[in-house]
């Protein structure tokens, strides 16, 4: 349904409480009481035909009886009555509903059918729904407590969204203790309609919300979640606690790749790809919440530790070591300044042990020196109970310092009763407090990881030396033939033929159905050779003695053949055996790698890389990523593994050709993008010999599917169907295509052709250069959310970007904002008109209803182009800006041909 009407839920001016009851200790009574006590400036309408007045408010017989506009319906009636209430909401123009009622799909098929009725009514009538089976919604900044939680937390900039009502109440209780405030506190329940993707989109556009916390048990629309999280995590930290870490999915998988890419590992990979920070426990979630709500995020990992006890300092150092980080060394200047204010026996190192008799003033001076040095990214202050130190006095000093500092600082007050007053003072002053150094450092590094994730999201991927080519037709032919044997592994030779069509370095492999044929093939290939069992029923060949190596002559081949057949019989008597494969032996490989893929039922294709060979499951050294991929994403994938250090070369041993390895994984990602029919693909091992790669074993499992590419992906791939060649009115021949992440250098060259006036017209301000962040924003687009087309002049052998036109799609999927930029040397040549026409055509094809953009009064050429294309104009009250708006339903673009379907 998009995002329309969510304001009716989260910024309502009137609320009807349906099922409100005067009976004590009921949900309905609690809902009215909490709304009344909250003191919100909204109209409240209890609806219950059994009462005339509830909590001092007039009670209405029905929604229709209210006879006033109602934004939000709060429903707390038996679930079987909710479809009729939803009908009444639609009839009376209610925009949103929060369904508290339980008894839906969690109770079985009957509950599921009721939920589907509600959803259909809501969808047809434009009614947005939070729930059912939820605690409700609390909006502290608006003083709205539309939940049956008794108390209202303080207002803040942190949003918390949870599927579990119990987790909501637990977090609320902790929030009161630690004085944490919220912008939104939402129990999302069964997510019949509004889901995590909707909430992330909404909160990403909410100016009061600075950080987002999620408690997730399961996702529904995975592609929507990925798109929303990738967009919003660039501007606001998102921290997730995902419960249900289970190995059940891995146990059911057939291949190495499947066994090592279980459900939870795929969630991990998805969160990393979006820039989301995943935490492990409810305590971690709350600790991150406290740090995000009270302090600026650390941008680095240089942590200063100030302590009045050596033991806690050692604990903090050990905690840092878990992240392979040492305390940041103190330089001579800092040591010199600390020498002036600290006793002679202070530690002269980080942790800065200022000794057990440290006064509040001593703490204060050490803190100020560390912050003023600008050599640290964060500061942890540890206080252990000492007879000479009153915790509340140190807390008072710390709060005074932090009033004038915008710096990540947090406190570890170790102890219980004696520390309580000081901890309370720090919480009230907005200083995060932790009971142990380990918890504090863990929260700090979660937030540092977000900053690092942000840096990675904004990195510009390097280009490949040349374009990758693929023989899709050949691969498609083999896959169609393979689908005749549904849900069965292809023979090794067929698998390798598909891989060869996509440019993988596979070794020549031939099939021998009989012993004599194996000898003949071995003679033709040349010795030594390898024989492998050929059977769809034996996945792990070595377990069945199905791999015989280093066969030097015909006699060895004959004996190996017999041994393979005997081993297969002993391993699995009913296994179907088609013979053996024969291939040349590659002696003494430098290393063995696993490269594979599987189709996850939720996230679609996933790519797996790690240590290969017979030790694959023992070492479990692997990393998982989601296609589509570019070189930077592949590099980050490789870096997650332990084998990566060896790949670069180690102690005199040669490394692998990293460019070729990156290319191999890119080819695999593209194969999985192009063919949803591939359920699992296993290349184990891919051997490395003299720095080069060879896929010496391969298995592909196919399954029939009605889903067409790219709809099996959770991340939209490069839409090559929008590529086309055109000739402008001035006779220029151009290649128009979607923008790519690798286009950053071309985009900078385009920007450098712009005059100050052109820059001002496009960006509404003066700029001398594009920041790294802006460059990433323009080139690393989510193709689900943005239509961004560039015009490329390929003349003189070098690509040159001469123009770009974009439509930023609103999360509702119906509206978009356009922009256009053409380099000054190409003004007046028809480039801008063709680009804008093309993105408008694509916008209409993708279902957008209207597109708009703001143009400065001085930009007369853009205003003229807008009128020519059919845009309507609306001037601002001061006459300085003009909004151009085009209704795509009423506009025709017959002269432009666009391929592909969305």
């Amino acid at each position: 349904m998009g995002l329309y009407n969510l304001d009716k839920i989260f910024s309502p001016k009137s609320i009807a409480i349906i099922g409100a009851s005067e009976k004590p200790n009921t949900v309905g009574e609690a809902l009215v009481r909490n709304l009344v006590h909250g003191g919100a400036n909204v109209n409240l309408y209890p609806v219950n035909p059994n009462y005339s007045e509830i909590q001092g408010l007039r009670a209405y017989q029905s929604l229709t009886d209210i006879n006033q506009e109602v934004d939000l319906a709060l429903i707390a009636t038996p679930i079987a009555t909710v479809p009729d209430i939803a009908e009444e909401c639609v009839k009376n123009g209610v925009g949103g509903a929060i369904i508290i009622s339980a008894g839906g799909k969690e109770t079985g098929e009957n509950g599921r059918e009721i939920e589907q009725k509600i959803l259909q009514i809501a969808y047809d009538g434009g009614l947005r729904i939070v729930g059912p089976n939820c605690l409700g919604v609390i909006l502290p900044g608006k003083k709205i407590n539309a939940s049956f939680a008794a108390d209202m937390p303080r207002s803040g900039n942190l949003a918390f969204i949870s599927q579990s009502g119990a987790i909501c109440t637990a977090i609320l209780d902790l929030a009161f203790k630690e004085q944490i405030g919220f912008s939104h506190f939402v129990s999302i329940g069964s997510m019949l309609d509004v889901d995590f993707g909707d909430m992330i989109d909404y909160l990403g556009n909410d100016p009061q919300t600075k950080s987002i916390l999620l408690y997730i048990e399961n996702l529904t629309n995975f592609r929507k979640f990925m798109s929303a999280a990738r967009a919003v995590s660039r501007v606001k930290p998102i921290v997730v606690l995902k419960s249900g870490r289970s190995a059940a999915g891995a146990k059911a998988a057939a291949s190495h790749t499947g066994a090592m890419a279980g459900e939870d590992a795929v969630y991990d990979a998805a969160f990393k790809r979006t820039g989301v920070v995943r935490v492990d426990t409810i305590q971690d979630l709350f600790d991150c919440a406290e740090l995000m709500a009270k302090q600026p995020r650390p941008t680095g990992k240089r942590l200063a530790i100030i302590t009045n006890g050596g033991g806690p300092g050692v604990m903090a150092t050990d905690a840092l070591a878990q992240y392979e980080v040492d305390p940041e060394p103190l330089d001579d200047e800092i040591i010199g300044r600390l020498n002036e204010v600290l006793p002679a026996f202070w530690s002269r190192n980080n942790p800065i042990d200022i000794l057990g008799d440290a006064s509040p003033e001593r703490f204060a001076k050490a803190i100020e020196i560390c912050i003023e040095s600008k050599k640290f990214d964060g500061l942890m202050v540890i206080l252990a109970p000492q007879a000479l130190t009153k915790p509340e006095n140190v807390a008072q000093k710390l709060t005074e310092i932090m009033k004038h500092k915008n710096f990540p600082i947090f406190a570890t007050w170790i102890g219980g009763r004696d520390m309580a007053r000081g901890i309370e003072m720090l919480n009230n002053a907005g200083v995060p407090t932790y009971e142990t150094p380990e918890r504090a450092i863990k929260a700090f590094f979660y937030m540092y990881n977000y900053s690092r994730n942000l840096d990675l999201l904004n990195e510009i991927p390097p280009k490949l030396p040349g374009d990758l080519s693929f023989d899709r037709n050949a691969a498609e032919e083999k896959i169609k033939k393979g689908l005749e044997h549904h849900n069965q592994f292809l023979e090794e030779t067929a698998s390798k033929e598909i891989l060869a069509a996509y440019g993988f370095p596979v070794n020549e492999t031939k099939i021998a159905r009989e012993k004599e044929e194996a000898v003949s093939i071995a003679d033709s290939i040349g010795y030594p050779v390898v024989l492998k069992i050929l059977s769809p029923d034996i996945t792990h060949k070595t377990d069945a003695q199905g791999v015989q190596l280093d066969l030097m002559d015909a006699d060895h081949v004959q004996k190996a053949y017999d041994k393979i057949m005997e081993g297969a019989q002993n391993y699995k008597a009913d296994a179907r055996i088609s013979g053996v494969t024969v291939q040349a032996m590659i002696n003494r490989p430098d290393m063995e790698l696993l490269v594979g893929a599987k189709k996850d039922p939720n996230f679609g294709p996933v790519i797996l890389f790690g240590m290969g060979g017979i030790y694959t499951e023992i070492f479990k050294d692997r990393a998982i990523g989601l296609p589509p991929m570019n070189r930077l994403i592949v590099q980050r994938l490789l870096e997650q593994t332990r084998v990566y250090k060896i790949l670069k070369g180690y102690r005199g041993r040669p490394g692998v050709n990293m460019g070729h390895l990156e290319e191999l994984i890119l080819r695999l990602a593209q194969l999985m993008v192009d063919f949803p029919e591939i359920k699992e693909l296993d290349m184990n091992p891919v051997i490395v010999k003299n720095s080069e790669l060879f896929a010496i074993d391969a298995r592909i499992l196919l399954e029939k599917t009605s889903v067409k590419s790219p709809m099996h992906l959770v991340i939209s791939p490069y839409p090559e169907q929008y590529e086309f060649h055109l000739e402008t009115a001035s006779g220029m021949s151009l290649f128009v295509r979607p923008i790519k992440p690798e286009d950053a250098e071309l985009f900078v060259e385009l920007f450098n052709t712009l005059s100050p006036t052109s820059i001002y017209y496009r960006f509404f301000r003066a700029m001398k250069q594009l920041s790294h962040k802006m460059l990433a924003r323009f080139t690393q687009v989510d193709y689900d959310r943005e239509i961004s087309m560039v015009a490329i002049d390929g003349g003189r052998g070098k690509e040159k970007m001469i123009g770009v036109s974009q439509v930023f799609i609103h999360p509702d999927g119906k509206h978009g904002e356009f922009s256009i930029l053409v380099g000054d040397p190409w003004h007046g040549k028809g480039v801008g008109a063709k680009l804008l026409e093309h993105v408008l055509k694509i916008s209409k094809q993708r279902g957008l209803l209207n597109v708009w953009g703001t143009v400065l009064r001085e930009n007369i050429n853009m205003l003229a182009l807008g009128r020519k294309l059919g845009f309507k104009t609306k001037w601002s009250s001061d006459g300085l800006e003009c909004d151009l708006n085009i209704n795509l339903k009423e506009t025709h673009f017959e002269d432009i041909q666009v391929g592909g379907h969305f």
Side-chain angles (χ1 to χ4, degrees):
M1 274 191 228
L3 287 187
Y4 65 94
N5 276 356
L6 283 192
D7 275 337
K8 299 292 186 179
I9 297 175
F10 299 112
S11 296
K13 295 181 173 58
S14 54
I15 303 174
I17 308 96
I18 303 172
S21 171
E22 272 292 286
K23 293 180 180 180
N25 301 319
T26 63
V27 172
E29 188 266 345
L31 292 172
V32 179
R33 182 187 65 240
N34 291 344
L35 283 165
V36 170
H37 290 178
N41 185 25
V42 297
N43 296 316
L44 301 176
Y45 305 112
V47 177
N48 190 315
N50 298 319
Y51 300 96
S52 60
E53 183 178 293
I54 298 174
Q55 290 283 316
L57 300 172
R58 174 190 168 185
Y60 293 83
Q61 300 295 300
S62 67
L63 269 175
T64 305
D65 188 39
I66 295 172
N67 201 28
Q68 299 286 336
E69 182 177 336
V70 174
D71 291 332
L72 174 64
L74 195 53
I75 303 172
T77 64
I79 193 72
T81 67
V82 176
D84 290 339
I85 294 172
E87 287 269 23
E88 192 178 6
C89 287
V90 170
K91 180 181 176 182
N92 286 277
V94 177
I98 300 171
I99 303 176
I100 305 293
S101 318
K105 61 187 176 186
E106 70 274 10
T107 63
E109 188 58 34
N110 184 56
R112 188 181 303 276
E113 290 177 2
I114 293 172
E115 284 195 4
Q116 286 306 305
K117 288 180 183 177
I118 298 169
L119 181 61
Q120 190 62 53
I121 293 165
Y123 189 87
D124 293 342
L127 175 71
R128 301 309 309 267
I129 292 173
V130 169
N133 192 20
C134 71
L135 183 77
V137 171
I138 305 176
L139 307 166
K142 298 179 175 67
K143 298 182 179 179
I144 294 175
N145 184 359
S147 79
F148 58 88
D151 298 309
M152 174 96 71
R154 64 165 54 186
S155 179
N157 57 24
L158 184 67
F160 178 70
I161 318 297
S162 171
Q163 277 180 283
S164 166
I167 296 297
C168 282
T169 55
I171 290 289
L172 270 179
D173 195 49
L174 288 166
F176 289 121
K177 175 186 174 185
E178 302 292 340
Q179 296 296 305
I180 294 175
F182 297 94
S183 64
H184 298 72
F185 196 93
V186 181
S187 170
I188 204 168
S190 298
M191 299 191 298
L192 181 61
D193 171 29
V194 176
D195 60 14
F196 284 109
D198 291 319
M199 289 305 309
I200 291 170
D201 265 325
Y202 184 82
L203 296 169
N205 288 287
D206 176 59
Q208 187 184 351
T209 299
K210 305 302 181 187
S211 307
I212 301 170
L213 286 178
L214 306 176
Y215 172 77
I216 296 175
E217 291 174 353
N218 63 281
L219 296 174
T220 49
N221 190 322
F222 290 81
R223 186 159 173 158
K224 186 204 295 183
F225 173 85
M226 292 291 290
S227 181
R230 288 174 68 211
V232 174
S233 67
R234 290 177 179 269
V235 293
K236 300 180 182 183
I238 303 174
V239 177
V240 170
L241 173 60
K242 166 68 176 71
S243 63
R245 291 184 180 269
S246 169
K251 290 179 181 177
S255 69
H256 291 287
T257 300
M260 296 183 69
E263 178 184 347
D264 199 64
V266 178
Y267 267 98
D268 265 342
F271 292 145
K272 286 176 184 175
R273 183 68 178 268
T274 61
V276 165
V277 174
R278 183 179 188 180
V279 299
D280 296 324
T281 67
I282 188 70
Q283 185 180 76
D284 294 342
L285 185 70
F286 187 78
D287 287 346
C288 284
E290 185 168 9
L291 197 57
M292 288 192 302
K294 296 179 178 179
Q295 294 289 300
R297 293 190 305 275
T299 57
K301 56 186 177 182
R302 302 173 303 169
L303 185 65
I305 302 165
I306 298 175
T307 175
N308 69 336
V314 174
M315 293 166 60
T317 301
D318 288 344
L320 283 174
Q322 294 182 16
Y323 299 93
E324 298 182 352
V325 172
D326 293 325
E328 186 68 13
L330 306 180
D331 63 21
D332 292 342
E333 180 182 351
I334 296 174
I335 291 174
R337 292 192 62 190
L338 289 172
N339 280 337
E340 295 174 2
V341 298
L342 297 181
F345 299 109
W346 75 278
S347 63
R348 286 178 173 76
N349 207 341
N350 188 14
I352 302 168
D353 184 354
I354 60 176
L355 305 183
D357 62 347
S359 64
E361 290 73 23
R362 192 185 299 172
F363 268 102
K365 290 174 182 177
I367 291 167
E368 288 181 331
I369 288 170
C370 288
I371 295 175
E372 290 170 4
S373 73
K374 297 184 178 179
K375 298 292 176 64
F376 302 104
D377 302 305
L379 175 63
M380 178 165 69
V381 181
I382 303 176
L383 180 67
Q386 303 281 0
L388 299 176
T389 306
K390 288 189 175 182
E392 58 267 32
N393 292 346
V394 179
Q396 178 64 38
K397 209 68 178 173
L398 184 54
T399 59
E400 290 173 3
I401 294 171
M402 294 313 297
K403 284 181 182 178
H404 310 290
K405 308 288 185 185
N406 185 33
F407 186 78
I409 187 168
F410 46 99
T412 300
W413 257 224
I414 301 175
R417 180 191 60 190
D418 293 343
M419 294 292 178
R421 176 58 185 150
I423 291 172
E424 182 183 359
M425 293 170 64
L426 292 170
N427 285 331
N428 290 335
V431 177
T433 59
Y434 300 95
E435 295 175 353
T436 66
E438 292 87 352
R439 281 179 59 185
I441 284 174
K442 195 173 187 181
F444 175 83
F445 269 90
Y446 276 132
M447 289 297 91
Y448 162 68
N449 285 338
Y450 168 73
S451 297
R452 185 173 182 273
N453 287 348
L454 202 59
D455 290 340
L456 296 178
L457 286 174
N458 290 326
E459 277 193 59
I460 306 300
K463 279 189 172 184
L464 284 166
D467 291 333
L468 300 181
S469 60
F470 313 99
D471 190 344
R472 283 198 183 95
N473 292 334
E476 185 176 15
E477 183 181 335
K478 297 294 181 185
I479 287 172
K480 282 183 178 178
K481 185 176 180 181
L483 284 170
E484 297 172 3
H485 307 286
H486 176 58
N487 216 28
Q488 174 177 302
F489 277 103
L490 297 179
E491 290 182 338
E492 181 181 350
T493 51
S495 297
K496 285 185 175 179
E497 286 171 355
I498 293 172
L499 295 176
Y502 266 63
F504 288 86
V506 295
N507 61 335
E508 183 183 19
T509 302
K510 295 185 177 182
I511 296 175
R513 307 293 180 183
E514 303 290 342
K515 186 190 307 183
E516 292 73 18
E517 188 180 4
V519 172
S520 176
I521 292 172
D523 288 341
S524 65
I525 290 176
Y527 296 98
V529 296
V530 177
L531 264 60
K532 299 179 187 176
I533 185 71
L534 188 62
S535 170
D537 301 319
I538 299 177
T539 301
H540 305 304
K541 301 181 182 72
T542 53
D543 292 349
Q545 294 186 333
V547 179
Q548 298 297 314
L549 305 173
D550 212 12
L551 307 176
M552 302 302 296
D553 53 35
D555 183 54
H556 281 98
V557 169
Q558 291 179 357
K559 290 178 180 177
Y561 187 96
D562 291 337
K563 190 173 183 179
I564 286 174
M565 295 303 148
E566 182 183 352
Q569 177 68 24
N570 293 336
Y571 180 76
K572 188 174 176 62
D574 60 345
R576 292 165 293 170
I577 300 173
S578 304
V580 299
T581 61
V582 186
Q583 53 194 277
M585 175 75 187
I586 301 177
N587 283 308
R588 296 184 180 179
D590 299 321
M591 65 187 80
E592 296 184 350
L593 304 174
L594 165 66
V595 182
K598 65 169 277 189
K599 186 161 62 175
D600 182 81
N602 298 319
F603 289 97
V606 296
I607 306 299
L608 182 137
F609 170 81
M611 185 181 296
I614 62 174
Y615 302 114
T616 297
E617 274 102 353
I618 295 176
F619 291 109
K620 295 183 178 179
D621 177 28
R622 55 98 178 105
I624 295 173
L626 278 63
M629 291 180 159
N630 57 43
R631 282 189 72 184
L632 181 63
I633 293 170
V634 172
Q635 288 169 4
R636 297 290 172 256
L637 178 79
L638 300 177
E639 289 169 4
Q640 293 176 46
T641 62
R642 297 190 296 276
V643 76
Y644 175 71
K645 294 179 180 179
I646 302 174
L647 293 175
K648 295 190 297 180
Y650 184 72
R651 291 189 175 179
R653 296 184 63 180
V656 69
N657 185 319
M658 296 301 291
H660 288 181
L661 178 57
E662 292 165 11
E663 182 181 311
L664 183 144
I665 295 175
L666 286 172
R667 290 183 182 278
L668 177 59
Q670 188 62 50
L671 181 63
M672 298 302 292
V673 166
D674 291 343
F675 294 105
E677 297 85 357
I678 299 177
K679 186 177 182 180
E680 289 187 23
L681 188 156
D682 205 19
M683 289 182 281
N684 186 27
V686 173
I687 68 167
V688 180
K689 179 71 173 179
N690 298 328
S691 300
E692 294 303 326
L693 301 158
F694 301 92
I696 63 171
D697 201 355
R699 294 168 66 82
I700 295 177
L701 177 64
L702 301 176
E703 69 172 359
K704 294 179 180 178
T705 177
S706 60
V707 179
K708 303 297 182 184
S709 178
M711 300 315 297
H712 64 308
L713 304 170
V714 292
I715 300 173
S716 183
Y718 174 81
E720 65 178 22
Q721 68 269 25
Y722 294 152
E723 295 178 348
F724 78 112
H725 294 269
L726 67 78
E727 187 170 301
T728 67
S730 63
M732 290 185 67
S733 295
L734 300 174
F735 177 42
V736 177
R737 61 165 173 79
I739 201 164
K740 300 177 181 180
E742 295 87 354
D743 285 334
E745 184 179 338
L746 295 178
F747 201 96
V748 170
E749 292 173 358
L750 169 62
F751 182 85
N752 291 338
T753 69
L754 301 176
S755 65
T757 299
S758 296
I759 292 172
Y760 184 70
Y761 285 169
R762 170 60 184 87
F763 299 101
F764 287 36
R765 59 190 174 98
M767 293 170 53
K768 291 187 176 180
Q769 63 183 18
L770 289 168
S771 69
H772 189 82
K773 187 175 181 180
M774 286 186 69
L775 189 58
R777 173 66 191 86
F778 282 118
T779 57
Q780 298 184 35
V781 305
D782 181 342
Y783 297 115
D784 276 344
R785 291 173 170 256
E786 188 173 332
I787 302 163
S788 187
M789 303 296 294
V790 296
I792 302 294
D793 181 3
R796 300 181 183 178
K798 184 180 184 299
E799 281 193 338
K800 186 182 293 266
M801 186 185 294
I802 67 172
V804 56
S805 184
Q806 298 160 302
V807 171
F808 301 92
I809 302 172
H810 188 272
D812 67 7
K814 301 299 180 184
H815 310 280
E817 180 181 3
F818 82 88
S819 68
I820 188 164
L821 179 66
V822 176
D824 280 34
W826 302 281
H827 284 183
K829 298 183 183 295
V831 176
K834 288 292 186 182
L835 276 175
L836 185 53
E837 284 178 333
H838 195 61
V839 296
L840 292 175
K841 173 73 173 183
I842 297 171
S843 298
K844 182 173 183 177
Q845 193 178 56
R846 292 185 53 176
L848 271 70
L849 300 178
N850 77 291
V851 170
W852 64 276
T854 301
V855 181
L856 293 173
R857 178 180 61 188
E858 302 92 333
N859 195 352
I860 56 176
N861 290 335
M862 185 62 240
L863 291 170
L865 176 58
R867 285 190 288 266
K868 177 182 176 182
L869 292 177
F871 282 86
K872 294 181 179 179
T873 59
K874 182 180 179 181
W875 288 91
S876 61
S877 57
D878 57 12
L880 298 178
E881 297 176 353
C882 179
D883 279 346
L884 298 181
N885 195 306
I886 188 168
N887 185 329
L888 295 180
K889 290 185 70 175
E890 300 173 355
T891 307
H892 303 282
F893 304 97
E894 292 85 355
D895 58 324
I896 298 203
Q897 300 299 316
V898 178
H901 300 281
F902 262 76

